[in-house]
Amino acid sequence: NVSGVGISFGLDRMYDVMNELNLFQNISYNNTKVLITNFDSKAEQFALPILQQLRNKNIAAEIFHQSDKLKKQLKYADDKQIPFVILIGENEIKENKVTFKNMKTGEQQLLSVEQVIEYLMK
């Protein structure tokens, strides 16, 4: 009596070899173009309409899932290879603007939401 019959192609071994040869290195599964930071409930309330405006213009955007330290949020964006970050703090809320950060160059600018949308649509 044979309890079962099976076959294996060694998928785990093929994955290990492909990984070792860096064949997955250039594959990007994330298409988020901009991350909106989330420092507190006030910033989150300011950010939600901005998130909707970005999405209405077909710009792939997300807001950080919880209030947290800037370093952690920037690391998240860097790990997911998100090219731009929108920072919203007290000063930005007062001026009704956002700080727009290019994650590759580190350059930051204080811009209106319309200016950010225009830049991201290029």
Side-chain angles (χ1 to χ4, degrees):
N1 289 337
V2 178
S3 64
V5 178
I7 187 168
S8 172
F9 293 104
L11 185 59
D12 57 340
R13 288 177 188 86
M14 287 192 295
Y15 175 83
D16 289 341
V17 170
M18 291 176 74
N19 196 34
E20 190 174 308
L21 295 173
N22 292 322
L23 296 176
F24 297 117
Q25 187 176 16
N26 296 325
I27 297 173
S28 177
Y29 297 102
N30 181 38
N31 64 354
T32 300
K33 196 165 189 176
V34 63
L35 172 72
I36 302 175
T37 58
N38 183 357
F39 296 114
D40 56 31
S41 61
K42 191 174 180 182
E44 184 177 13
Q45 291 302 311
F46 186 81
L48 289 175
I50 295 170
L51 179 66
Q52 191 60 54
Q53 285 178 289
L54 292 167
R55 289 178 175 173
N56 287 345
K57 295 291 184 176
N58 294 318
I59 298 168
E62 64 181 89
I63 188 168
F64 196 75
H65 60 281
Q66 65 185 29
S67 299
D68 219 324
K69 295 178 183 177
L70 177 60
K71 186 175 181 178
K72 183 175 181 179
Q73 295 183 59
L74 292 178
K75 182 179 179 341
Y76 172 84
D78 197 42
D79 289 347
K80 287 190 71 181
Q81 298 177 346
I82 299 173
F84 303 101
V85 173
I86 291 176
L87 304 158
I88 299 172
E90 284 186 36
N91 293 338
E92 286 83 2
I93 293 171
K94 285 178 189 173
E95 294 188 38
N96 198 30
K97 294 191 175 189
V98 298
T99 297
F100 185 67
K101 180 178 177 95
N102 181 320
M103 291 297 288
K104 277 194 179 194
T105 65
E107 180 185 351
Q108 293 185 178
Q109 296 176 292
L110 187 64
L111 302 173
S112 69
V113 175
E114 292 77 19
Q115 289 172 310
V116 170
I117 290 171
E118 184 179 315
Y119 182 88
L120 292 172
M121 290 184 70
K122 288 182 187 176

